[in-house]
Amino acid sequence: DAGVIQSPRHEVTEMGQEVTLRCKPISGHNSLFWYRQTMMRGLELLIYFNNNVPIDDSGMPEDRFSAKMPNASFSTLKIQPSEPRDSAVYFCASKRGGYGYTFGSGTRLTVV
Amino acid sequence: TQLLEQSPQFLSIQEGENLTVYCNSSSVFSSLQWYRQEPGEGPVLLVTVVTGGEVKKLKRLTFQFGDARKDSSLHITAAQPGDTGLYLCAGVTGTASKLTFGTGTRLQVTL
C-alpha cells in the first residue's frame, strides 16, 4: 500500500499564478479530504468528498479555490490566482468507513 | 464553529519524565482521535476513543475520553526522544466522520 500520494511536495510560485495540487487516495477509500496547515490557524478542513461527490466545501476560503475529484483515484485542489497569504502546507487525506484518516505527506506551497 | 483547545501549547522535557496533554471543547463529539505529526510529514493516527470515560493504552501512551465526550487527555510515561513531535487531538462529527483538529501541542524530549 503506497499510502496517500500528493504532488508536488514543494511548490514556489509568483503571486497571480495558477497552482494545482494533486492527490491520489488509497485504493478503496471512499472519502477524501483537503486540509491546509499554517502556524497561525493550525489544520483547517477545506473540502471533503464522499464517493467522488463534494459534500462540504464551507472551508474553502474564497472563490479563488476550487477542488475536483473526477474519479475515485484522483483529486485536485486549484488556486487561481494565488496570493502570498495562500502560503501553507496543504494535506490530502482519505479513509474508508471507520474513523481513521490516512494523510499524505503534504504540499508546501510558497507564493511570493 | 467547534473549537478544540489543547494545553500546553509547547512542552520541553527530559527523557524519562512523564507528561499529560489536554484537549478541551465545549462541543460533544461522537469520537475523538489523537495524531502525531513529525516535521515534513502528515499527521499519523495514534488512537480513536469512542465511549465517554474510555481509556486506551498504546505502550507508554494512555488516552482518556471525558465522560461527557467533550474532552480528552494523553499521558506519556517515561518520555523518550522518539516521542518528539506535534500532538493533535481531533473531534469526529457527522456521518462522514468529519474531523476538527485541536490547536496542537509541540513536544520536545531531550536526552
Side-chain angles (χ1 to χ4, degrees), chain A residues 9 33 35 37 43 45 48 56 91 95 98-101 103-105, chain B residues 31 33 35 37 40-43 45 48 86 88 96-99 101:
Chain A
R9 284 299 308 269
F33 304 78
Y35 280 85
Q37 186 174 37
L43 268 165
L45 177 64
Y48 74 90
D56 183 352
F91 287 103
K95 75 176 194 71
Y99 304 105
Y101 285 34
F103 281 80
S105 297
Chain B
S31 62
Q33 300 179 344
Y35 290 79
Q37 183 179 18
E41 297 299 327
L45 178 67
T48 300
L86 177 67
L88 295 157
S97 300
K98 177 178 163 181
L99 283 183
F101 279 89

Side-chain angles (χ1 to χ4, degrees), chain A residues 11-19 64 79-87 109-112:
Chain A
E11 177 81 38
V12 180
T13 190
E14 291 186 345
M15 182 174 64
Q17 297 297 307
E18 176 180 297
V19 175
R64 296 184 299 105
I79 308 173
Q80 164 67 21
S82 58
E83 296 183 3
R85 59 190 167 127
D86 302 330
S87 297
L109 173 65
T110 303
V111 183
V112 298

Side-chain angles (χ1 to χ4, degrees), chain B residues 16-73:
Chain B
E17 292 185 31
N18 301 332
L19 67 119
T20 301
V21 177
Y22 298 94
C23 172
N24 294 292
S25 174
S26 58
S27 301
V28 176
F29 294 100
S30 57
S31 62
L32 194 136
Q33 300 179 344
W34 283 91
Y35 290 79
R36 181 170 67 208
Q37 183 179 18
E38 298 188 16
E41 297 299 327
V44 175
L45 178 67
L46 296 174
V47 77
T48 300
V49 285
V50 179
T51 307
E54 181 178 2
V55 176
K56 279 192 175 178
K57 291 192 175 184
L58 184 65
K59 297 183 180 178
R60 295 175 294 98
L61 279 60
T62 302
F63 305 85
Q64 184 163 10
F65 201 12
D67 291 342
R69 305 207 317 276
K70 294 182 180 181
D71 56 88
S72 181
S73 64

Side-chain angles (χ1 to χ4, degrees), chain A residues 54-75:
Chain A
I55 302 300
D56 183 352
D57 65 354
S58 60
M60 297 285 261
E62 45 196 278
D63 292 346
R64 296 184 299 105
F65 286 69
S66 62
K68 294 181 179 180
M69 192 165 185
N71 57 62
S73 59
F74 185 65
S75 177

